[in-house]
Amino acid sequence: MSYMTRFLTGTALTLALAVPAAAKEYRIAVGDGAGGSQEALGKAFVAALEEQTGGEMTGKLFLNGQLGDEQDTVTAAATGTLDFSILAINNITPFSPSVGTLTLPYVILSQDDAEKITQGEVGQQMIDQTIEDAGVRIIGWGYSGFRVLSNSKRPVSTVADLQGLVIRVPKNEIMIETYKSWGLNPTPMAWGETFAALQQKVVDGQDNPYLTIYAMKFDEVQKYITDLRYLFSIEPLIVSEALFESLSEDQQQQVLAAGKAATQASSEFLRSEESKIRDELVSRGMEITQPADDEKEFRDLATAAVWPQFYDQIGGKEVLDNVLTSLGREPAPQ
Ligand code: MLT
């Protein structure tokens, strides 16, 4: 039975393993609400961790940012006041700029691309770099799908349609510059403030994957979706490096194996759930618009303006070229 099937049915593992009284329970921060890919990754990790350790290690998920905003959980894990966190990669970039390569617009063009990059050599380099830069270790990769644009005002199909909308973005320079390349001055805002800002119409819209829009109940405060594919959302599971280093060699291997199993479960979850969740959002009244001309205008503007601006920050143009060529694409233009 796959990990995903096990955590979705939710019974097999619970019956198979009695967690010993002395089990160590770790706290796992989760930025999103229930029903999305972050929770799926977290549940799969806990199930696999219990299985790997014979129930000696377990974890408790704290959903909806109860343990702090996503960016704050990186600092908390780095200082050892938090054990694990599941968050969007764009909220790690401010602490480890090299992972910004995965936030550049139109670099990851499919779930296969996302999996190939994160689970291959480039992903391992990013893991090592993030330990060095941010004091946290990525032990699992969650996949949430493309960040689609939602807003409460009107259908958006072209860059012109976007003008005048007030769009919330994470506090992430690359995403801010991407919207600037489309002629907007977006509003950087912490994730935990986003629902209220949409509800109170402080901002008109935001972007996040279908799974996240569903988990955050954004359909209650947003009407229109544009099926943009500029950024595929990767949602890592991180552990405090201080905590990881304090574990025995065997325990470290068990944690890594559980992270790997959770990665696999997340991949299966996205493939099986995304279109169902998209349909559910439509049945709740959301309207989905396709970007005009296969989003050529969005893509041309963003790649021309944004990629070169961040070469230095991500460690050089060659870092991006390495990602592109590993995906079988041409290096970035000079
Ligand atoms: C954000 O927009 O800040 C993040 O993508 C939220 C998330 O992790 O779902």
Side-chain angles (χ1 to χ4, degrees), residues 31-32 38 70 86-91 147 168-171 175 189-191 194 206-209 212 216 233 235:
D32 297 347
Q38 290 190 356
E70 291 196 0
I86 298 173
L87 72 172
I89 190 118
N90 46 273
N91 287 327
R147 295 179 73 106
R168 172 269 170 182
V169 287
K171 295 178 186 173
M175 295 170 77
M189 184 184 285
W191 182 224
T194 305
Q206 62 86 47
D207 69 53
N208 257 295
T212 310
M216 299 307 289
S233 192
E235 317 248 3

Side-chain angles (χ1 to χ4, degrees), residues 166-326:
V166 182
I167 302 293
R168 172 269 170 182
V169 287
K171 295 178 186 173
N172 174 299
E173 282 305 316
I174 296 177
M175 295 170 77
I176 294 169
E177 291 304 319
T178 301
Y179 276 88
K180 285 191 178 162
S181 78
W182 297 331
L184 253 60
N185 202 2
T187 306
M189 184 184 285
W191 182 224
E193 293 163 23
T194 305
F195 184 91
L198 293 168
Q199 188 172 43
Q200 290 156 19
K201 306 240 185 296
V202 175
V203 293
D204 302 319
Q206 62 86 47
D207 69 53
N208 257 295
Y210 285 110
L211 268 59
T212 310
I213 290 174
Y214 171 77
M216 299 307 289
K217 301 188 171 41
F218 282 176
D219 52 287
E220 293 174 6
V221 289
Q222 299 278 269
K223 168 90 180 153
Y224 302 101
I225 287 185
T226 306
D227 226 345
L228 278 189
R229 299 169 76 82
Y230 84 104
L231 188 52
F232 186 98
S233 192
I234 294 170
E235 317 248 3
L237 163 64
I238 59 172
V239 59
S240 158
E241 182 61 6
L243 164 60
F244 188 79
E245 291 297 332
S246 74
L247 300 174
S248 70
E249 180 81 20
D250 278 356
Q251 287 172 324
Q252 290 182 352
Q253 291 314 316
Q254 289 162 340
V255 167
L256 293 176
K260 216 167 169 185
T263 301
Q264 187 54 38
S266 176
S267 161
E268 292 173 27
F269 183 78
L270 179 61
R271 286 184 205 281
S272 73
E273 297 308 299
E274 190 177 40
S275 64
K276 286 186 225 158
I277 284 179
R278 189 179 188 273
D279 292 349
E280 174 61 24
L281 291 172
V282 171
S283 77
R284 292 181 185 186
M286 298 196 87
E287 264 181 51
I288 301 179
T289 302
Q290 293 306 317
D293 199 14
D294 198 21
E295 71 185 277
K296 182 175 185 321
E297 197 186 2
F298 287 98
R299 187 169 50 245
D300 288 353
L301 288 168
T303 51
V306 181
W307 287 7
Q309 273 187 69
F310 289 93
Y311 289 157
D312 284 351
Q313 227 182 80
I314 62 171
K317 176 176 181 292
E318 58 278 15
V319 175
L320 174 59
D321 287 346
N322 186 26
V323 170
L324 293 171
T325 51
S326 331

